[in-house]
């Protein structure tokens, strides 16, 4: 795996706010259909030229072929199980005249793997298809009064998941969507090509000694959960399923990047909108089960859009213009 081309304000304490068109960014929680969800705040990325010092870390940067990035908002956290459930509870779709109920919380990582001191509902949602993630974006946009970012023609369902669909992006929309690969990498690298952290190997942590062949890096301990630090501290051997802590963790438990974004390296790998090879779609960021290389800001892999794994989730983006 990963061997291919390789300022948010908060409301007053105790105040819950409903996101609306006029104030959609920067609140720590939203209310959807009467159900509150926290860890939903967004970070503004001003965009601009991504042309700065060359950053490869063994894998060429997506940004090499990008000339300018429009401003956007990106989720401060990966979409949590609580957030996903608040949006998707009770949602149905009709395919060929048959009604299907969508899975409200498809996550495989449940209480039996929860790390002591962490909160289950704040773990990232995972085991969602690429189609599921984009459909979530549309439902959220609709419920909060934004314009949907995608058109959908659902062709197949399986166990409450969308496994095949014709999807088109609506370019002029204010709705929630998956990031493009260049938006994801630009944010992971700090959002400023002139800043020091633009050359860091991992999101939020400088790793000047990182090399392509290094499977582990102690620099990740401050910002990421990955396959070598389920206890929080890097060991020299990769752990295996069943090891305490070898699982997704509550979002935001590690340190954020300069932009205030959490878990862009490790925890859950994230779907983006961008196509990979063939019919596959790109996934970025590494997960609790991957090596250090997979957690670098330039590494990517791809998966079939109907794939669901227990370490694959997503993060939201909205255009700011």
């Amino acid at each position: 795996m990963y061997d291919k081309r390789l300022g948010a304000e908060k409301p007053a304490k105790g105040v819950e706010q409903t996101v609306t068109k006029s104030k959609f960014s920067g609140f720590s929680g939203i209310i959807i259909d009467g159900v509150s969800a926290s860890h939903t705040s967004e970070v503004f990325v001003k965009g601009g030229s991504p042309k700065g010092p060359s950053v490869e870390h063994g894998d060429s940067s997506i940004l090499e072929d990008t000339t300018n990035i429009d401003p956007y908002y990106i989720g401060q956290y990966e979409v949590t199980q609580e957030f996903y459930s608040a949006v998707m509870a009770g949602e149905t779709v009709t395919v060929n005249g048959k009604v299907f109920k969508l899975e409200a919380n498809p996550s495989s990582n449940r209480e039996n793997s929860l790390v002591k001191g962490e909160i289950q509902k704040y773990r990232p949602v995972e085991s969602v298809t690429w189609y599921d993630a984009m459909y979530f974006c549309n439902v959220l946009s609709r419920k909060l009064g934004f314009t949907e970012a995608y058109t959908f023609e659902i062709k197949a369902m399986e166990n409450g998941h969308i496994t095949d669909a014709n999807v088109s992006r609506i370019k002029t929309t204010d709705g929630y969507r998956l990031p493009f690969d260049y938006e994801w990498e630009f944010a992971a690298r700090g959002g400023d090509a002139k800043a020091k952290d633009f050359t860091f190997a991992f999101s939020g942590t400088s790793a000047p000694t990182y090399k392509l062949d290094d499977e582990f890096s102690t620099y990740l301990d401050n910002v990421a959960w990955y396959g070598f630090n389920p206890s929080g501290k890097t060991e020299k051997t990769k752990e295996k399923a069943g090891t305490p802590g070898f699982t997704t963790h509550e979002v935001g438990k590690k340190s954020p990047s300069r932009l205030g974004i959490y878990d862009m390296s490790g925890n859950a790998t994230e779907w983006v909108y961008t196509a990979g090879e063939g019919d596959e779609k790109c996934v970025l960021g590494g997960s609790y089960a991957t090596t250090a290389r997979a957690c670098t800001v330039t590494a990517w892999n791809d998966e079939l859009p109907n794939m669901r794994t227990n370490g694959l989730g997503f993060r939201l983006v909205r255009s700011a213009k």
Side-chain angles (χ1 to χ4, degrees):
M1 194 173 185
Y2 293 90
D3 58 355
K4 299 182 181 179
R5 183 230 69 154
L6 292 195
E9 295 181 11
K10 294 184 179 180
K13 187 176 181 180
V15 175
E16 197 79 38
Q17 301 222 20
T18 302
V19 178
T20 66
K21 270 193 174 184
S22 60
K23 43 187 178 184
F24 59 86
S25 176
F27 297 115
S28 59
I30 62 175
I31 299 175
I32 304 167
D33 295 338
V35 178
S36 63
S38 64
H39 296 78
T40 59
S41 51
E42 300 167 340
V43 171
F44 177 69
V45 183
K46 65 181 180 180
S49 173
K51 301 305 179 184
S54 177
V55 182
E56 292 189 358
H57 309 303
D59 309 298
S60 58
S61 169
I62 294 166
L63 300 180
E64 290 178 349
D65 299 324
T66 307
T67 57
N68 186 71
I69 297 176
D70 291 331
Y72 57 99
Y73 295 93
I74 189 168
Q76 190 172 19
Y77 305 96
E78 294 168 323
V79 173
T80 65
Q81 294 183 26
E82 177 191 55
F83 191 11
Y84 194 88
S85 296
V87 173
M88 299 301 285
E91 286 295 313
T92 61
V93 297
T94 302
V95 182
N96 296 325
K98 185 175 181 180
V99 177
F100 295 87
K101 185 177 181 179
L102 295 172
E103 182 65 53
N105 184 4
S107 302
S108 299
N109 294 295
R110 298 297 183 108
E111 286 82 355
N112 61 348
S113 65
L114 181 66
V115 174
K116 184 178 180 180
E118 297 186 9
I119 299 174
Q120 174 65 28
K121 64 183 179 180
Y122 298 151
R123 299 168 79 180
V125 71
E126 25 77 13
S127 301
V128 291
T129 69
W130 183 72
Y131 303 112
D132 289 336
M134 288 187 295
Y135 198 82
F136 170 93
C137 292
N138 269 9
V139 175
L140 177 62
S141 296
R142 183 169 68 248
K143 289 186 174 183
L144 296 183
F146 298 117
T147 305
E148 295 178 7
Y150 305 107
T151 61
F152 259 91
E153 180 191 0
I154 299 174
K155 300 169 65 177
M157 295 287 301
E158 182 178 327
N159 299 322
H161 296 272
I162 304 171
T163 56
D164 192 15
N166 293 326
V167 182
S168 298
R169 184 177 70 89
I170 304 171
K171 294 182 179 180
T172 55
T173 177
D174 61 356
Y176 288 94
R177 56 182 176 82
L178 293 183
F180 291 107
D181 55 357
Y182 58 82
E183 290 174 321
W184 190 98
E185 184 184 321
F186 191 63
R189 289 170 58 170
D192 184 350
K194 298 179 181 179
K196 183 178 180 180
D197 58 347
F198 206 71
T199 62
F200 291 178
F202 309 113
S203 183
T205 291
S206 176
T209 60
Y210 179 75
K211 299 177 182 178
L212 175 62
D213 294 333
D214 290 344
E215 291 192 320
F216 59 88
S217 171
T218 57
Y219 289 104
L220 274 169
D221 290 343
N222 188 48
V223 297
W225 300 104
Y226 76 119
F228 288 78
N229 73 349
S231 68
K233 182 179 179 180
T234 290
E235 304 293 342
K236 293 184 178 180
T237 56
K238 185 179 179 183
E239 297 295 347
K240 299 178 181 179
T243 301
F246 191 77
T247 185
T248 57
H249 291 258
E250 178 183 334
V251 298
K253 297 296 283 186
K254 294 287 188 174
S255 297
S257 68
R258 179 178 55 82
L259 285 175
I261 305 174
Y262 294 89
D263 298 310
M264 292 199 81
S265 289
N267 207 5
T269 307
E270 300 174 20
W271 286 114
V272 296
Y273 183 73
T274 309
E277 297 180 356
D279 295 328
E280 297 179 321
K281 307 299 177 182
C282 287
V283 298
L284 304 171
S287 77
Y288 72 87
T290 62
T291 64
R293 181 186 182 184
C295 294
T296 62
V297 295
T298 53
W300 64 274
N301 196 12
D302 46 19
E303 299 282 2
L304 288 170
N306 62 357
M307 176 66 69
R308 295 189 292 119
T309 71
N310 63 9
L312 178 54
F314 64 103
R315 187 182 303 264
L316 297 174
V317 157
R318 267 180 34 85
S319 299
K321 58 179 294 185

